[in-house]
Amino acid sequence: MAFFLETLLGGLMAGMLYSLVALGFVLIFKASGVFNFAQGAMVLFGALSMARFSEWIPQWTGVDNLWMANVLAFAMAAVVMFVVAWAVEYLVLRHLVNQEGATLLMATLGIAYFLEGLGQTLFGSSIYKIDIGMPKDPVFILDNFFEGGVLVNKEDFYAALIAAALVTMLSIFFQKTATGRALRAVADDHQAAQSIGIPLNRIWMIVWCVAGIVALVAGMIWGSKLGVQFSLATVALRALPVVILGGLTSVPGAIIGGLIIGVGEKLSEVYLGGFVGGGIEIWFAYVLALGFLLIRPQGLFGEKIIDRV
């Protein structure tokens, strides 16, 4: 039982990180109606910014305190992500208002390749590390209930708490505020939203800025765990099955989908790996997503699209 709980908790903590990345996909899709293939590149760009600024700030300012250096590095990286979001909206999306979804999709692919190249030009192509002070030693909990206790990785636990807090704040913001209602209106119909006075460009700007901050936090956490390298962009794409499972238009779906995928990956690797071979954790989520595409294409919480002719 203790081992099962260890696996379950590990899956839940991994699932919160998946949810954080998936939330960026959902926000962009809700605002523009297009799947943002640049989200992985944004995660990488944010992680590179955080890693390099955390190295440069002690040299520039003489600040030796790790916490203060990380705060300054995060602030500067956030400014960089805001600038990137503004540039994307002003130089690309503003000129593609009311265009076909395929056009916007190709635009995000171009943005992805551009950000990867720009990141390598500005920050270098080496492998960097991010030290945000999270403890990496495991700890045993529930000693009184299970012999030997349940092993929990402290770094994964704190990372999951950070992801859960950010996801909760964003969920409240987009569900309860006027900006959130405007975002939903824009997602339903761009032209109708413009006709009632909702500034489409401003909404897109806000959403891309929020998605940039989400990508920065996700990159910071994944970079702390895995190191900052260009393969980090592909790690972010592991959140694709999450949005398929939860629904492309649902913020709660990104959360629930991430938890399901995280737990499913861990449990399948432990309990099914012996029957189907190793590596099931890598492809389990995609097989599950394929099944949902066949049975319920809109996902668990996605909205059905009905075209009347």
Side-chain angles (χ1 to χ4, degrees), residues 70-92:
N70 281 329
V71 170
L72 293 175
F74 182 84
M76 295 183 68
V79 171
V80 169
M81 296 305 293
F82 275 124
V83 171
V84 168
W86 173 84
V88 167
E89 194 281 328
Y90 185 79
L91 299 176
V92 181

PDB file of all heavy atoms in Angstrom, residues 70-92:
ATOM      1  N   ASN A  70      17.406  35.293  -7.406  1.00  0.00           N
ATOM      2  CA  ASN A  70      16.350  34.610  -8.162  1.00  0.00           C
ATOM      3  C   ASN A  70      15.140  35.511  -8.385  1.00  0.00           C
ATOM      4  O   ASN A  70      14.511  35.465  -9.443  1.00  0.00           O
ATOM      5  CB  ASN A  70      15.917  33.331  -7.435  1.00  0.00           C
ATOM      6  CG  ASN A  70      16.878  32.183  -7.646  1.00  0.00           C
ATOM      7  OD1 ASN A  70      17.515  32.082  -8.691  1.00  0.00           O
ATOM      8  ND2 ASN A  70      17.006  31.312  -6.663  1.00  0.00           N
ATOM      9  N   VAL A  71      14.815  36.325  -7.378  1.00  0.00           N
ATOM     10  CA  VAL A  71      13.695  37.266  -7.536  1.00  0.00           C
ATOM     11  C   VAL A  71      13.985  38.259  -8.649  1.00  0.00           C
ATOM     12  O   VAL A  71      13.137  38.529  -9.515  1.00  0.00           O
ATOM     13  CB  VAL A  71      13.410  38.000  -6.207  1.00  0.00           C
ATOM     14  CG1 VAL A  71      12.432  39.151  -6.432  1.00  0.00           C
ATOM     15  CG2 VAL A  71      12.843  37.031  -5.177  1.00  0.00           C
ATOM     16  N   LEU A  72      15.186  38.820  -8.651  1.00  0.00           N
ATOM     17  CA  LEU A  72      15.565  39.765  -9.697  1.00  0.00           C
ATOM     18  C   LEU A  72      15.607  39.086 -11.064  1.00  0.00           C
ATOM     19  O   LEU A  72      15.162  39.650 -12.071  1.00  0.00           O
ATOM     20  CB  LEU A  72      16.925  40.387  -9.371  1.00  0.00           C
ATOM     21  CG  LEU A  72      16.977  41.304  -8.141  1.00  0.00           C
ATOM     22  CD1 LEU A  72      18.411  41.740  -7.862  1.00  0.00           C
ATOM     23  CD2 LEU A  72      16.085  42.520  -8.353  1.00  0.00           C
ATOM     24  N   ALA A  73      16.143  37.853 -11.095  1.00  0.00           N
ATOM     25  CA  ALA A  73      16.213  37.121 -12.360  1.00  0.00           C
ATOM     26  C   ALA A  73      14.812  36.820 -12.887  1.00  0.00           C
ATOM     27  O   ALA A  73      14.551  36.951 -14.093  1.00  0.00           O
ATOM     28  CB  ALA A  73      17.003  35.822 -12.170  1.00  0.00           C
ATOM     29  N   PHE A  74      13.897  36.440 -11.989  1.00  0.00           N
ATOM     30  CA  PHE A  74      12.525  36.156 -12.412  1.00  0.00           C
ATOM     31  C   PHE A  74      11.855  37.416 -12.939  1.00  0.00           C
ATOM     32  O   PHE A  74      11.137  37.378 -13.957  1.00  0.00           O
ATOM     33  CB  PHE A  74      11.715  35.584 -11.249  1.00  0.00           C
ATOM     34  CG  PHE A  74      10.303  35.214 -11.610  1.00  0.00           C
ATOM     35  CD1 PHE A  74      10.027  33.990 -12.189  1.00  0.00           C
ATOM     36  CD2 PHE A  74       9.262  36.091 -11.379  1.00  0.00           C
ATOM     37  CE1 PHE A  74       8.723  33.650 -12.543  1.00  0.00           C
ATOM     38  CE2 PHE A  74       7.963  35.762 -11.731  1.00  0.00           C
ATOM     39  CZ  PHE A  74       7.693  34.543 -12.305  1.00  0.00           C
ATOM     40  N   ALA A  75      12.075  38.557 -12.272  1.00  0.00           N
ATOM     41  CA  ALA A  75      11.478  39.819 -12.719  1.00  0.00           C
ATOM     42  C   ALA A  75      11.983  40.194 -14.111  1.00  0.00           C
ATOM     43  O   ALA A  75      11.204  40.600 -14.982  1.00  0.00           O
ATOM     44  CB  ALA A  75      11.785  40.923 -11.718  1.00  0.00           C
ATOM     45  N   MET A  76      13.291  40.057 -14.327  1.00  0.00           N
ATOM     46  CA  MET A  76      13.851  40.396 -15.636  1.00  0.00           C
ATOM     47  C   MET A  76      13.378  39.420 -16.707  1.00  0.00           C
ATOM     48  O   MET A  76      13.077  39.814 -17.842  1.00  0.00           O
ATOM     49  CB  MET A  76      15.376  40.418 -15.554  1.00  0.00           C
ATOM     50  CG  MET A  76      15.934  41.508 -14.653  1.00  0.00           C
ATOM     51  SD  MET A  76      17.740  41.565 -14.646  1.00  0.00           S
ATOM     52  CE  MET A  76      18.059  42.131 -16.321  1.00  0.00           C
ATOM     53  N   ALA A  77      13.296  38.134 -16.359  1.00  0.00           N
ATOM     54  CA  ALA A  77      12.806  37.143 -17.317  1.00  0.00           C
ATOM     55  C   ALA A  77      11.336  37.403 -17.647  1.00  0.00           C
ATOM     56  O   ALA A  77      10.903  37.216 -18.802  1.00  0.00           O
ATOM     57  CB  ALA A  77      12.985  35.730 -16.758  1.00  0.00           C
ATOM     58  N   ALA A  78      10.554  37.838 -16.642  1.00  0.00           N
ATOM     59  CA  ALA A  78       9.145  38.164 -16.889  1.00  0.00           C
ATOM     60  C   ALA A  78       9.025  39.337 -17.849  1.00  0.00           C
ATOM     61  O   ALA A  78       8.161  39.335 -18.741  1.00  0.00           O
ATOM     62  CB  ALA A  78       8.440  38.476 -15.567  1.00  0.00           C
ATOM     63  N   VAL A  79       9.885  40.341 -17.696  1.00  0.00           N
ATOM     64  CA  VAL A  79       9.883  41.478 -18.620  1.00  0.00           C
ATOM     65  C   VAL A  79      10.200  40.996 -20.039  1.00  0.00           C
ATOM     66  O   VAL A  79       9.568  41.427 -21.014  1.00  0.00           O
ATOM     67  CB  VAL A  79      10.898  42.548 -18.164  1.00  0.00           C
ATOM     68  CG1 VAL A  79      11.062  43.621 -19.234  1.00  0.00           C
ATOM     69  CG2 VAL A  79      10.458  43.171 -16.852  1.00  0.00           C
ATOM     70  N   VAL A  80      11.180  40.095 -20.154  1.00  0.00           N
ATOM     71  CA  VAL A  80      11.534  39.543 -21.466  1.00  0.00           C
ATOM     72  C   VAL A  80      10.336  38.825 -22.082  1.00  0.00           C
ATOM     73  O   VAL A  80      10.028  39.000 -23.271  1.00  0.00           O
ATOM     74  CB  VAL A  80      12.737  38.589 -21.341  1.00  0.00           C
ATOM     75  CG1 VAL A  80      12.933  37.802 -22.641  1.00  0.00           C
ATOM     76  CG2 VAL A  80      13.994  39.357 -21.009  1.00  0.00           C
ATOM     77  N   MET A  81       9.618  38.040 -21.285  1.00  0.00           N
ATOM     78  CA  MET A  81       8.468  37.299 -21.814  1.00  0.00           C
ATOM     79  C   MET A  81       7.332  38.245 -22.196  1.00  0.00           C
ATOM     80  O   MET A  81       6.608  38.004 -23.175  1.00  0.00           O
ATOM     81  CB  MET A  81       7.980  36.272 -20.792  1.00  0.00           C
ATOM     82  CG  MET A  81       8.994  35.174 -20.468  1.00  0.00           C
ATOM     83  SD  MET A  81       9.601  34.286 -21.921  1.00  0.00           S
ATOM     84  CE  MET A  81       8.131  33.421 -22.454  1.00  0.00           C
ATOM     85  N   PHE A  82       7.165  39.344 -21.444  1.00  0.00           N
ATOM     86  CA  PHE A  82       6.173  40.350 -21.818  1.00  0.00           C
ATOM     87  C   PHE A  82       6.525  40.974 -23.157  1.00  0.00           C
ATOM     88  O   PHE A  82       5.654  41.204 -24.004  1.00  0.00           O
ATOM     89  CB  PHE A  82       6.072  41.431 -20.740  1.00  0.00           C
ATOM     90  CG  PHE A  82       5.138  41.087 -19.618  1.00  0.00           C
ATOM     91  CD1 PHE A  82       5.575  41.086 -18.312  1.00  0.00           C
ATOM     92  CD2 PHE A  82       3.806  40.770 -19.859  1.00  0.00           C
ATOM     93  CE1 PHE A  82       4.727  40.764 -17.267  1.00  0.00           C
ATOM     94  CE2 PHE A  82       2.937  40.445 -18.829  1.00  0.00           C
ATOM     95  CZ  PHE A  82       3.403  40.444 -17.528  1.00  0.00           C
ATOM     96  N   VAL A  83       7.801  41.274 -23.348  1.00  0.00           N
ATOM     97  CA  VAL A  83       8.251  41.864 -24.611  1.00  0.00           C
ATOM     98  C   VAL A  83       8.011  40.891 -25.760  1.00  0.00           C
ATOM     99  O   VAL A  83       7.551  41.280 -26.849  1.00  0.00           O
ATOM    100  CB  VAL A  83       9.735  42.270 -24.528  1.00  0.00           C
ATOM    101  CG1 VAL A  83      10.260  42.687 -25.903  1.00  0.00           C
ATOM    102  CG2 VAL A  83       9.928  43.398 -23.529  1.00  0.00           C
ATOM    103  N   VAL A  84       8.321  39.618 -25.528  1.00  0.00           N
ATOM    104  CA  VAL A  84       8.085  38.604 -26.552  1.00  0.00           C
ATOM    105  C   VAL A  84       6.599  38.528 -26.889  1.00  0.00           C
ATOM    106  O   VAL A  84       6.209  38.476 -28.074  1.00  0.00           O
ATOM    107  CB  VAL A  84       8.610  37.232 -26.081  1.00  0.00           C
ATOM    108  CG1 VAL A  84       8.124  36.117 -27.002  1.00  0.00           C
ATOM    109  CG2 VAL A  84      10.125  37.230 -26.015  1.00  0.00           C
ATOM    110  N   ALA A  85       5.743  38.537 -25.855  1.00  0.00           N
ATOM    111  CA  ALA A  85       4.300  38.476 -26.084  1.00  0.00           C
ATOM    112  C   ALA A  85       3.822  39.696 -26.867  1.00  0.00           C
ATOM    113  O   ALA A  85       3.007  39.577 -27.794  1.00  0.00           O
ATOM    114  CB  ALA A  85       3.561  38.373 -24.751  1.00  0.00           C
ATOM    115  N   TRP A  86       4.311  40.874 -26.510  1.00  0.00           N
ATOM    116  CA  TRP A  86       3.924  42.093 -27.221  1.00  0.00           C
ATOM    117  C   TRP A  86       4.366  42.022 -28.679  1.00  0.00           C
ATOM    118  O   TRP A  86       3.606  42.381 -29.590  1.00  0.00           O
ATOM    119  CB  TRP A  86       4.550  43.308 -26.551  1.00  0.00           C
ATOM    120  CG  TRP A  86       4.323  44.578 -27.332  1.00  0.00           C
ATOM    121  CD1 TRP A  86       3.231  45.386 -27.292  1.00  0.00           C
ATOM    122  CD2 TRP A  86       5.218  45.146 -28.307  1.00  0.00           C
ATOM    123  NE1 TRP A  86       3.381  46.424 -28.166  1.00  0.00           N
ATOM    124  CE2 TRP A  86       4.590  46.311 -28.810  1.00  0.00           C
ATOM    125  CE3 TRP A  86       6.476  44.786 -28.786  1.00  0.00           C
ATOM    126  CZ2 TRP A  86       5.197  47.112 -29.773  1.00  0.00           C
ATOM    127  CZ3 TRP A  86       7.069  45.580 -29.752  1.00  0.00           C
ATOM    128  CH2 TRP A  86       6.437  46.726 -30.225  1.00  0.00           C
ATOM    129  N   ALA A  87       5.582  41.557 -28.917  1.00  0.00           N
ATOM    130  CA  ALA A  87       6.097  41.472 -30.279  1.00  0.00           C
ATOM    131  C   ALA A  87       5.280  40.491 -31.117  1.00  0.00           C
ATOM    132  O   ALA A  87       4.974  40.755 -32.287  1.00  0.00           O
ATOM    133  CB  ALA A  87       7.570  41.061 -30.256  1.00  0.00           C
ATOM    134  N   VAL A  88       4.905  39.356 -30.511  1.00  0.00           N
ATOM    135  CA  VAL A  88       4.112  38.368 -31.235  1.00  0.00           C
ATOM    136  C   VAL A  88       2.762  38.953 -31.630  1.00  0.00           C
ATOM    137  O   VAL A  88       2.313  38.822 -32.782  1.00  0.00           O
ATOM    138  CB  VAL A  88       3.917  37.109 -30.370  1.00  0.00           C
ATOM    139  CG1 VAL A  88       2.833  36.204 -30.955  1.00  0.00           C
ATOM    140  CG2 VAL A  88       5.227  36.334 -30.268  1.00  0.00           C
ATOM    141  N   GLU A  89       2.116  39.639 -30.680  1.00  0.00           N
ATOM    142  CA  GLU A  89       0.806  40.213 -30.971  1.00  0.00           C
ATOM    143  C   GLU A  89       0.903  41.357 -31.975  1.00  0.00           C
ATOM    144  O   GLU A  89       0.118  41.441 -32.927  1.00  0.00           O
ATOM    145  CB  GLU A  89       0.172  40.706 -29.666  1.00  0.00           C
ATOM    146  CG  GLU A  89      -1.321  41.030 -29.777  1.00  0.00           C
ATOM    147  CD  GLU A  89      -1.590  42.382 -30.410  1.00  0.00           C
ATOM    148  OE1 GLU A  89      -0.762  43.305 -30.230  1.00  0.00           O
ATOM    149  OE2 GLU A  89      -2.610  42.519 -31.106  1.00  0.00           O
ATOM    150  N   TYR A  90       1.882  42.237 -31.786  1.00  0.00           N
ATOM    151  CA  TYR A  90       1.972  43.444 -32.612  1.00  0.00           C
ATOM    152  C   TYR A  90       2.467  43.139 -34.018  1.00  0.00           C
ATOM    153  O   TYR A  90       1.978  43.707 -35.002  1.00  0.00           O
ATOM    154  CB  TYR A  90       2.899  44.459 -31.940  1.00  0.00           C
ATOM    155  CG  TYR A  90       2.974  45.792 -32.647  1.00  0.00           C
ATOM    156  CD1 TYR A  90       1.950  46.740 -32.495  1.00  0.00           C
ATOM    157  CD2 TYR A  90       4.044  46.090 -33.489  1.00  0.00           C
ATOM    158  CE1 TYR A  90       2.010  47.952 -33.151  1.00  0.00           C
ATOM    159  CE2 TYR A  90       4.103  47.310 -34.155  1.00  0.00           C
ATOM    160  CZ  TYR A  90       3.088  48.232 -33.984  1.00  0.00           C
ATOM    161  OH  TYR A  90       3.148  49.439 -34.641  1.00  0.00           O
ATOM    162  N   LEU A  91       3.437  42.243 -34.128  1.00  0.00           N
ATOM    163  CA  LEU A  91       4.070  42.000 -35.427  1.00  0.00           C
ATOM    164  C   LEU A  91       3.411  40.878 -36.222  1.00  0.00           C
ATOM    165  O   LEU A  91       3.541  40.839 -37.448  1.00  0.00           O
ATOM    166  CB  LEU A  91       5.554  41.673 -35.227  1.00  0.00           C
ATOM    167  CG  LEU A  91       6.401  42.767 -34.577  1.00  0.00           C
ATOM    168  CD1 LEU A  91       7.810  42.277 -34.342  1.00  0.00           C
ATOM    169  CD2 LEU A  91       6.396  44.034 -35.429  1.00  0.00           C
ATOM    170  N   VAL A  92       2.715  39.956 -35.517  1.00  0.00           N
ATOM    171  CA  VAL A  92       2.161  38.789 -36.215  1.00  0.00           C
ATOM    172  C   VAL A  92       0.636  38.737 -36.113  1.00  0.00           C
ATOM    173  O   VAL A  92      -0.078  38.893 -37.113  1.00  0.00           O
ATOM    174  CB  VAL A  92       2.775  37.480 -35.672  1.00  0.00           C
ATOM    175  CG1 VAL A  92       2.219  36.276 -36.429  1.00  0.00           C
ATOM    176  CG2 VAL A  92       4.297  37.513 -35.776  1.00  0.00           C
TER     177      VAL A  92
END
